Amino acid sequence: MYKLARELLFSLSPETSHELSIDLIGAGGRLGLNRLLNKAPASLPVKVMGLEFPNPVGLAAGLDKNGDAIDGFAQLGFGFVEIGTVTPRPQPGNPKPRLFRLPEAEAIINRMGFNNLGVDHLLARVRAAKFDGVLGINIGKNFDTPVERAVDDYLICLEKVYAHASYITVNVSSPNTPGLRSLQFGDSLKQLLEALRVRQDSLAALHGKRVPLAIKIAPDMSDEETALVAQALLESGMDAVIATNTTLGREGVEGLPFGNETGGLSGAPVRDRSTHTVKVLAGELGGRLPIIAVGGITEGRHAAEKIAAGASLVQVYSGFIYKGPALIREAVDAIAALPRV
């Protein structure tokens, strides 16, 4: 069934099909129909960040930027759903076209630029959702906020979403917002993490609960840079790291139509680079901080590879677009088949 749906959707422009898919998944969720589209994955509970996940396969941020289809995605069998990236104020994102399929490589290039309707709209959608499972909210900065004041935007979003999120992801690794990736390094990273942790503590006291913070990083750092980030995360007391965002590299798409478009590359070509980053992080963190792996999971065995590399949870995005809901169950089954340590 999904192959037919994909053929129809792929006949439309990528952004049009994306918007239509969100509308359809959202409508299916409101009607309770999405459970009929996919056989529920096996129960494979895991506890990470102090949260109970029914299975370790989640939806990555970026598909449902505004939280318009939370119930719909949850009904497909995801163990957790992450929405966003959301910014304090609505913004249109970069000029179109800004989303490109590379089906020969099971890849996508995007330069969306955090297009979203703002944090207040997202919160209205969260309040309207019936989903009571693990919900991540991914936060970022507005494109016109100077990078030296980026912490202000993150703190605005953190305060607003705190009471409504199971965990919060801080996106400092999108390649499509100028200057954003500089926040992953040195004093900029340490200052951001310190500000987030201080505000997290005050919000925990205010709301009577501690909502974990995860930092999402890029796959384009050297091993030495990744190690420095890992150390900074440990020193600041962050709760998890998500590895990885899209890559600026073009390995695996050379010569393909749209392969030279600017933006972040996701899907199968980023798989090995992402898994390598997970391995480096795992070696540096030594189990002291959980890793959520995302990047290039287009088959169940790729999810198992991420877990074997040191991740506790995985997320899918581009693989879901190419393979559909069946990928969720396939990934859960592959992880369940891994030898128990």
Side-chain angles (χ1 to χ4, degrees):
M1 182 183 296
Y2 182 74
K3 288 182 179 179
L4 176 60
R6 193 185 81 168
E7 185 174 338
L8 294 173
L9 289 169
F10 276 32
S11 68
L12 304 172
S13 73
E15 193 156 352
T16 298
S17 65
H18 176 93
E19 293 169 353
L20 178 59
S21 297
I22 294 296
D23 288 344
L24 292 173
I25 291 171
R30 290 188 293 274
L31 296 172
L33 298 177
N34 289 0
R35 295 184 183 89
L36 306 177
L37 299 178
N38 192 36
K39 181 181 177 182
S43 176
L44 189 62
V46 59
K47 188 172 184 178
V48 181
M49 300 182 288
L51 303 171
E52 300 284 350
F53 296 77
N55 73 63
V57 180
L59 176 71
L63 259 178
D64 192 0
K65 292 178 180 294
N66 296 304
D68 290 328
I70 297 170
D71 292 332
F73 281 113
Q75 289 175 16
L76 295 175
F78 284 109
F80 59 109
V81 173
E82 186 172 319
I83 58 176
T85 298
V86 68
T87 54
R89 292 171 282 111
Q91 61 182 31
N94 292 321
K96 299 178 182 180
R98 55 194 179 180
L99 185 63
F100 307 90
R101 300 187 199 98
L102 292 79
E104 302 92 338
E106 292 187 322
I108 293 171
I109 291 175
N110 91 84
R111 50 174 180 264
M112 303 300 286
F114 287 173
N115 59 306
N116 73 102
L117 297 175
V119 67
D120 292 330
H121 171 90
L122 178 139
L123 288 177
R125 303 308 302 149
V126 171
R127 294 186 188 102
K130 299 176 181 178
F131 179 53
D132 61 357
V134 178
L135 178 69
I137 300 181
N138 186 302
I139 61 175
K141 83 170 191 73
N142 281 110
F143 79 99
D144 57 353
T145 299
V147 70
E148 58 269 18
R149 293 185 56 192
V151 65
D152 297 339
D153 279 11
Y154 286 108
L155 292 178
I156 289 170
C157 287
L158 178 63
E159 289 192 352
K160 288 198 171 190
V161 307
Y162 190 90
H164 306 278
S166 304
Y167 70 91
I168 298 166
T169 298
V170 180
N171 189 345
V172 292
S173 52
S174 170
N176 300 316
T177 296
L180 188 75
R181 285 192 169 190
S182 66
L183 296 173
Q184 297 177 110
F185 304 105
D187 290 340
S188 294
L189 177 62
K190 292 178 181 178
Q191 291 169 8
L192 174 62
L193 296 181
E194 181 180 1
L196 289 167
R197 180 58 191 273
V198 169
R199 192 62 55 88
Q200 180 191 34
D201 287 343
S202 65
L203 289 168
L206 177 65
H207 293 282
K209 67 171 185 175
R210 189 175 187 281
V211 177
L213 290 178
I215 308 298
K216 189 166 187 176
I217 66 171
D220 300 322
M221 292 184 282
S222 68
D223 291 357
E224 292 76 15
E225 290 170 333
T226 301
L228 289 172
V229 169
Q231 190 61 38
L233 296 177
L234 288 172
E235 291 175 354
S236 65
M238 291 295 105
D239 299 288
V241 57
I242 300 182
T244 62
N245 214 314
T246 57
T247 179
L248 288 171
R250 289 296 180 267
E251 294 176 16
V253 299
E254 303 93 333
L256 294 180
F258 307 117
N260 289 326
E261 291 288 345
T262 59
L265 172 67
S266 62
V270 78
R271 180 186 309 128
D272 291 344
R273 188 184 294 242
S274 173
T275 303
H276 177 76
T277 302
V278 171
K279 289 179 180 178
V280 174
L281 285 170
E284 294 293 329
L285 296 171
R288 291 171 288 176
L289 197 71
I291 301 167
I292 303 172
V294 55
I297 297 173
T298 59
E299 298 179 20
R301 62 186 178 91
H302 303 147
E305 288 171 1
K306 304 286 193 195
I307 299 295
S312 299
L313 302 167
V314 300
Q315 293 177 317
V316 296
Y317 182 137
S318 300
F320 178 79
I321 291 172
Y322 280 103
K323 298 298 177 65
L327 179 62
I328 306 167
R329 186 177 69 255
E330 185 182 325
V332 172
D333 289 346
I335 294 169
L338 286 170
R340 298 295 179 185
V341 178

